[in-house]
Amino acid sequence: IETLDALRDKNPTYRAIDVDGLYYVCLRHRGYVRISRGQLETGIYDLTLTERFAPLDEEAKGLRNWARMYIAGASFWQVRWDQVLNYFSQIYPYVPNMIDINGITATERFRTASIEYAKQLEQTDNACEAVIHYQNAITIRTEPELETALSNLIAACAEPTEPPPAPEVTPTPTATLDPALVTPVVTVEPTVEPTVEVTIEPTAGTP
């Protein structure tokens, strides 16, 4: 790359297509190697420069994407274990040995995040959800402390919970009326007078 830089500075038009091709090969290879060695930021930068000369191949493009996700996930370290777990659960199945400058693999970051997030869940009402995260950590590498924590949690979650006590019902007092204080209701039936029918007999000779 240094030789190509010197050549291009001296004569930018000299065999431009060939020089571009050499830039592509060199930058692509250097970026790939840097990411593989844990130099994620500089490796990403090299691969980005490579795209100035030609589109990246799928392998290099995929490695760059994983490196970006690694950096994003690591930025939540010891701050948001749920976010760390979210990122590295996607990374470690495909690039389990990807590392950063600290030399921590994606697999180990996933394992640590699983344990720490499980501990957080144990302090909440969702404690039983921590079982799956302990199991994921043990699948990668087991430790006696993890096995003990998992066994205790499984036993606690398997115990039937006692139903809450029934609420006490306070009887509603019934009012009792004193008969002496009650005014009787008198119903007055209407009086119906009989109807008298009067029949007038006609007198003879009267028209």
Side-chain angles (χ1 to χ4, degrees), residues 107-108 110-120 122 130-155:
T107 301
E108 184 59 26
F110 172 76
R111 177 181 177 276
T112 302
S114 297
I115 296 171
E116 296 299 328
Y117 187 52
K119 291 179 180 178
Q120 283 187 357
E122 284 190 276
V131 171
I132 185 63
H133 300 293
Y134 276 130
Q135 290 174 337
N136 289 338
I138 289 175
T139 300
I140 296 173
R141 190 175 75 253
T142 185
E143 295 176 358
E145 294 82 1
L146 290 181
E147 293 182 351
T148 301
L150 177 61
S151 299
N152 293 338
L153 188 59
I154 291 176

Side-chain angles (χ1 to χ4, degrees), residues 18 32-33 39-40 57 63 68 96 135-136 147 178 200 202:
D18 293 335
Y32 196 98
V33 170
Q39 301 170 354
L40 303 183
D57 60 280
L63 187 64
R68 286 172 173 169
Q135 290 174 337
N136 289 338
E147 293 182 351
D178 187 348
I200 300 175

